[in-house]
Amino acid sequence: MIWGARKFFAAVTGAALLGSSLSACVGPQPGSTTSPLPTCRAAFPSAPPEGILAGVNLDWEHETLEQYAANLGQRPAVTVTFTDFPMSGTDRGNVEAAFEQIRANGGTMLLTLEPKQGLASVTPEVAVELSTMLARFNNAGVPVIVRFAHEMNGSWYAWGQQPTAYVAAYQRVATAVHAKTAGSAMMWAPNYGGGYPFSGGKYQAVAGTPEFAALDTNKDGEVTGVDDPYAPYYPGDDAVDWVGMSLYHWGNTYPWGANVIPEQGKFLQQLTGNYNGAGGDDLAVPDFYTEYGTARNKPVAIPETAALTVASGEGADALAIKEAWWRQLFDPAIPTDYPALKMINWFEWDKNEVEVKATVDWTATKNPQVREAYTAALPDWFTFADAPAACSPAGDAPS
């Protein structure tokens, strides 16, 4: 999320897991005379030929995937989880817990890796350790998309605005993932470039450094909104399988916090670099959809999106704000006019945002009235997960 909002993946308690961690990949019982189950092998998570994958950024501390799917009335095709990277033992346990829930639900894991210790901590050994974990997930039937060090063009993360180091670390992870897994892919996902270079953040590039020079794409000695907010960070077509962009409605003016209905057309205008509206003139921002999606033949994802609402009681009604935003995500012209857009994941969190100095309700299913409107609006071209078929993990199959 833009401007330093901190996301964390809380540990899922045993009690929360109990109702939803029953594996779909189970072997036959001892003494069983039934036919052996087929072997699990996750297919490579490429874009669906038709429709758009409908996913969720789930607040695991407050809701299981099973509970969310019951509220939605559908199994999400993609479930996003976050972890520090390299992973501690606790981090690995949390990712394993998310994997078990996704294995029971069906669909794809979108694993967001956050190198909070800095990009130098992402060594070849760490990358190989990750790929070993992912291969095991794939062999249990769960495809994975790795979103490494997202929003790297921002100034709020420890990996931000360091294009040379970022590209090297991304390529290191991509090489390991592509070499060792058959059911895992890599996603490159900057933040929307409006407001770039996001001055004032803790990790803003410093003038006089090589990284600053790399970000000065027009070579005028400054890094400003006329410099390209995406190109210096792109790791190359061979390393990238999916391209994505965090794209939220935060309101119209910084500092955020006003309950404002998004103007019509804002979502697609920002995605394509054509936005000049109440939030400012962003026409200098490149057309992300075309330059990184269609021109490179990459599927495009919106791995995080939602619309800001705060409980101040001032401004527009929360349902009106959220509904105005999701109507843009569900625009019936998208499947035909933007066929490379293949994934949209709602940010289902109710959390404190540093910039707003308040709790923001980003959710679409927590409030019953909002949930009813949201689920009724879901388009028929959104693709959800099927219940997973019973299978035996590939590692358990006889050789």
Side-chain angles (χ1 to χ4, degrees):
M1 298 175 71
I2 193 173
W3 255 110
R6 293 294 187 262
K7 296 177 287 287
F8 62 95
F9 178 52
V12 182
T13 66
L17 275 173
L18 187 60
S20 59
S21 64
L22 296 178
S23 171
C25 295
V26 292
Q29 298 298 311
S32 171
T33 58
T34 59
S35 299
L37 294 169
T39 300
C40 306
R41 278 194 178 87
F44 186 80
S46 55
E50 302 291 338
I52 292 179
L53 298 173
V56 61
N57 290 260
L58 194 63
D59 182 356
W60 301 89
E61 186 179 25
H62 296 104
E63 188 174 27
T64 67
L65 182 54
E66 182 181 44
Q67 290 167 338
Y68 174 79
N71 283 334
L72 188 69
Q74 302 276 4
R75 298 172 183 268
V78 179
T79 304
V80 183
T81 189
F82 295 82
T83 183
D84 288 6
F85 188 70
M87 298 182 208
S88 67
T90 299
D91 295 327
R92 284 191 292 273
N94 289 336
V95 174
E96 293 280 354
F99 154 70
E100 290 293 350
Q101 292 200 34
I102 296 168
R103 181 164 64 153
N105 174 81
T108 295
M109 170 187 281
L110 199 161
L111 179 61
T112 299
L113 304 178
E114 299 189 302
K116 294 178 182 177
Q117 300 173 40
L119 291 165
S121 67
V122 184
T123 64
E125 294 76 18
V126 167
V128 169
E129 183 180 358
L130 169 72
S131 68
T132 301
M133 171 186 276
L134 300 186
R136 180 164 50 80
F137 290 178
N138 296 162
N139 287 342
V142 176
V144 181
I145 300 174
V146 176
R147 182 172 60 147
F148 174 74
H150 65 303
E151 300 174 11
M152 78 303 297
N153 56 340
S155 61
W156 46 85
Y157 285 135
W159 55 90
Q161 300 201 355
Q162 303 161 56
T164 304
Y166 168 79
V167 166
Y170 185 105
Q171 291 175 343
R172 203 172 297 132
V173 173
T175 297
V177 169
H178 287 154
K180 191 155 187 175
T181 71
S184 295
M186 293 293 300
M187 178 183 288
W188 174 70
N191 193 75
Y192 170 60
Y196 187 78
F198 312 111
S199 299
K202 181 177 179 180
Y203 299 99
Q204 182 178 356
V206 177
T209 63
E211 299 285 34
F212 185 93
L215 297 181
D216 180 16
T217 58
N218 67 355
K219 304 306 176 186
D220 66 353
E222 300 179 304
V223 177
T224 68
V226 298
D227 290 299
D228 193 316
Y230 307 132
Y233 308 92
Y234 188 65
D237 291 344
D238 290 345
V240 174
D241 302 303
W242 283 76
V243 297
M245 184 164 66
S246 300
L247 188 50
Y248 287 83
H249 170 66
W250 279 83
N252 292 340
T253 56
Y254 181 84
W256 320 112
N259 289 318
V260 178
I261 294 177
E263 69 257 51
Q264 189 173 359
K266 180 178 181 179
F267 168 69
L268 287 174
Q269 289 167 12
Q270 291 184 328
L271 180 62
T272 58
N274 291 301
Y275 181 72
N276 183 8
D281 181 351
D282 290 347
L283 294 178
V285 177
D287 180 347
F288 184 87
Y289 175 85
T290 298
E291 292 192 19
Y292 295 97
T294 58
R296 298 174 184 272
N297 195 31
K298 303 291 184 185
V300 177
I302 305 298
E304 300 180 34
T305 191
L308 178 146
T309 61
V310 295
S312 66
E314 300 177 358
D317 174 73
L319 174 57
I321 294 171
K322 295 172 190 284
E323 192 169 36
W325 188 243
W326 73 56
R327 281 179 177 171
Q328 297 189 36
L329 306 179
F330 305 161
D331 186 332
I334 286 176
T336 53
D337 294 352
Y338 301 91
L341 182 57
K342 290 297 183 180
M343 180 192 299
I344 296 177
N345 304 329
W346 193 270
F347 192 73
E348 192 68 12
W349 283 66
D350 184 1
K351 63 186 288 286
N352 181 70
E353 298 290 1
V354 175
E355 300 75 30
V356 179
K357 297 181 176 62
T359 297
V360 176
D361 178 7
W362 298 106
T363 68
T365 65
K366 184 183 74 170
N367 179 285
Q369 182 186 16
V370 174
R371 179 172 67 241
E372 182 179 2
Y374 179 71
T375 56
L378 291 169
D380 58 10
W381 38 268
F382 259 32
T383 300
F384 296 93
D386 294 325
C391 56
S392 293
D396 295 343
S399 57

